[in-house]
Amino acid sequence: MLEQPQHKYRPVHPFTRDYAERTWPSRRLDAPPIWMSTDMRDGNQALIEPMDAARKLRFFEQLVAVGMKEIEVAFPSASDTDFNFVRQLIEEERIPDDVTIEVLTQSRPDLIERTFESLRGARRAIVHLYNPIAPQWRRIVFGMSRDEIKDLALAGTRQIRALADADPGTEWIYEYSPETFSLAELDYALEVCDAVSAIWNPSPERKMIINLPSTVECASANVYADQIEWMHRRLARRDSIVLSVHPHNDRGTAVAAAELAVMAGADRVEGCLFGNGERTGNVDLVTLAMNLDMQGIPSGLRFKDMAAVRECVEACNQLPVDVFHPYAFRPASPAAPRAGAAALG
């Protein structure tokens, strides 16, 4: 007989002490977060067949059309396809003035160099650096101590700072993710983030982004909200930081985790239009935005023709959107209203 799941696993308690300071349960959402689409990077990496340049361009134009102002377009050091796509957007002047592209890199000197090469001539760009910090990754993947892992983050930040200073023609925005934050010790996550922001030295006029991922969703959404509020209250230079979250959906509660995280102090949410992403997916930005709109809170995103958005995403991802999606459901018959029409009016 197979062992029952409850006998195979131990509960995860990434936030073990009683957090008596929490105030987020008494708050209500009254404004949208800053939206950032990772469809073309995190969502794309989850595909069996990654998007080619034509599909990437179609997806980018759809994201612009629905009102995304920050779009993570590529991992340019990971492949020539990604690198060349960033070059295409810049050289063909396809990035609207009010849209900021973002690219991702690990904290490795050669990858950071390649990333900056892809961005040459960009008007404005977010460079997103990440390195895993949780105990399991420190011990099993890297074989490094806490200080050595922190040094990876600091070395990458110093290199990005130097490369940005050497190219003042671009408006550079820096984002740092302590990857695996959801499984890391909070005091250590705070130590690393504060050390990184001290090097970048942001100001209220030129903020940096600290992104706290639920890399593996391993506890209920309220625990993630507690983690976010704990960091929100303690981060140094908080008035110079955009606090971002990147929820995954391993337990099926990414939407709740994102909503509670914003109530807990987050300013920005990273996700994919319909939740595509590694494992069980990233947070679904369509659901998050429409949940706000349905409460009379303007989300800032436009889904007037939801069927066309769904069609584009399905064609680019080569994956179906759930027939029972709360806002992009399929009509029951050709004569039925178009997807989302009942909700949108």
Side-chain angles (χ1 to χ4, degrees), residues 61-93:
E61 291 175 346
Q62 181 66 75
L63 291 167
V64 170
V66 302
M68 286 288 174
K69 302 304 181 187
E70 296 184 0
I71 303 172
E72 192 167 50
V73 295
F75 197 146
S77 63
S79 71
D80 287 341
T81 300
D82 270 23
F83 183 95
N84 292 336
F85 181 66
V86 180
R87 295 309 309 152
Q88 179 184 4
L89 291 178
I90 295 169
E91 292 171 2
E92 297 180 5
E93 299 182 349

Side-chain angles (χ1 to χ4, degrees), residues 293-335:
D293 289 331
M294 293 303 106
Q295 292 294 319
I297 303 165
S299 69
L301 300 182
R302 301 182 292 270
F303 297 112
K304 187 69 175 175
D305 191 348
M306 187 70 80
V309 177
R310 187 193 68 222
E311 179 188 3
C312 174
V313 172
E314 289 184 327
C316 292
N317 284 342
Q318 298 184 344
L319 290 172
V321 173
D322 190 344
V323 67
F324 293 117
H325 187 281
Y327 297 108
F329 50 86
R330 284 177 176 77
S333 70

Side-chain angles (χ1 to χ4, degrees), residues 105-107 112 115-116 127-130 153-166 172-175 200:
T105 180
Q106 294 167 320
S107 188
I112 293 172
T115 299
F116 270 80
V127 179
H128 181 183
L129 180 83
Y130 77 97
L154 301 186
T157 303
R158 291 189 187 99
Q159 184 180 3
I160 291 171
R161 173 86 274 175
L163 290 168
D165 289 345
W172 299 104
I173 303 167
Y174 181 47
E175 175 173 350
W200 192 256

